[in-house]
Amino acid sequence: MINHMNFLFVGVGGQGVLTASDIAAQVGLDLGLDAKKSEVHGFAQRGGVVESHVRWAPRVGSPTCEEGTVDVLLSFELLEAARWIDFLKPGGIVIVNRQKIMPMSVSVGNAVYPTEDAILTALRQKASQVVAVDALPLAEQAGNLRTVNTIMLAALATLLETDPAVWETAILRRVPPQYADVNKVAFRLGQQAAQP
């Protein structure tokens, strides 16, 4: 049973990062732990960077994780994983959505978006395990593009020593009833995507 865990959820506004971190905090509470979260979403509605820290422990003080202390970095966008990799502790896990959302600097021609291989290589140099998930096509397969966060949470649940049913229950409590079935499908697809 896990009794201490630091998560960092990152991505771009509109990807469901904050909802996913809310659910992760709820799962911590459902597991009988103290759970705290902190979020920064600045220009989230305009496609800006979103970060949310979630901490589980028997007693949590600060809701934010310090650099080098994150057990799991969950990135909803490929480049954001590389931007936040220094928060990962040695031996930490990265779960990254392969989706690419071009930042403004790339769109206007002032920068080049790195290749997927270059980003994944950089992540593997810091992490003990990197799981890359094609969450957007899986969400489409599930029947709703807004289930990307469910797919990412299912991948996380599959990799942790926790009962995935606790995660699925927390997700289903959070989504409107009419979206329960599509989220159940998305959860199964996320679990399959995280299998080695």
Side-chain angles (χ1 to χ4, degrees):
M1 170 72 177
I2 293 172
N3 68 359
H4 180 278
M5 187 69 72
N6 290 334
F7 303 95
L8 179 57
F9 291 73
V10 299
V12 174
Q15 290 189 291
V17 174
L18 300 182
T19 299
S21 67
D22 286 345
I23 292 167
Q26 183 59 55
V27 168
L29 295 172
D30 292 345
L31 292 172
L33 298 167
D34 188 14
K36 295 222 178 10
K37 76 182 273 288
S38 174
E39 59 193 46
V40 176
H41 46 90
F43 293 105
Q45 292 181 337
R46 297 184 181 182
V49 175
V50 179
E51 68 175 277
S52 186
H53 302 247
V54 177
R55 301 186 70 209
W56 295 350
R59 185 168 177 269
V60 177
S62 169
T64 58
C65 307
E66 295 180 13
E67 199 167 303
T69 66
V70 168
D71 297 287
V72 181
L73 173 61
L74 193 82
S75 181
F76 284 55
E77 197 277 339
L78 191 60
L79 187 57
E80 289 306 316
R83 287 185 185 169
W84 293 93
I85 193 65
D86 288 339
F87 274 78
L88 195 70
K89 74 176 191 180
I93 297 170
V94 175
I95 304 170
V96 59
N97 181 7
R98 287 190 145 108
Q99 184 178 1
K100 298 176 185 177
I101 299 174
M102 298 302 154
M104 186 61 73
S105 58
V106 172
S107 297
V108 298
N110 292 337
V112 175
Y113 197 102
T115 66
E116 180 176 320
D117 285 345
I119 293 171
L120 293 176
T121 297
L123 296 177
R124 289 182 183 115
Q125 289 173 353
K126 292 260 187 169
S128 67
Q129 184 177 8
V130 175
V131 177
V133 178
D134 281 318
L136 195 59
L138 290 175
E140 186 174 14
Q141 183 181 339
N144 189 324
L145 292 177
R146 297 184 67 168
T147 60
V148 164
N149 53 8
T150 296
I151 288 163
M152 296 298 288
L153 287 172
L156 173 61
T158 302
L159 295 171
L160 294 181
E161 295 174 10
T162 56
D163 182 358
V166 176
W167 291 85
E168 186 174 14
T169 299
I171 291 166
L172 295 177
R173 280 198 317 253
R174 178 66 188 254
V175 302
Q178 65 267 33
Y179 297 112
D181 288 343
V182 73
N183 276 277
K184 288 177 183 178
V185 172
F187 195 84
R188 298 292 168 265
L189 291 172
Q191 287 181 297
Q192 292 168 14
Q195 298 295 334

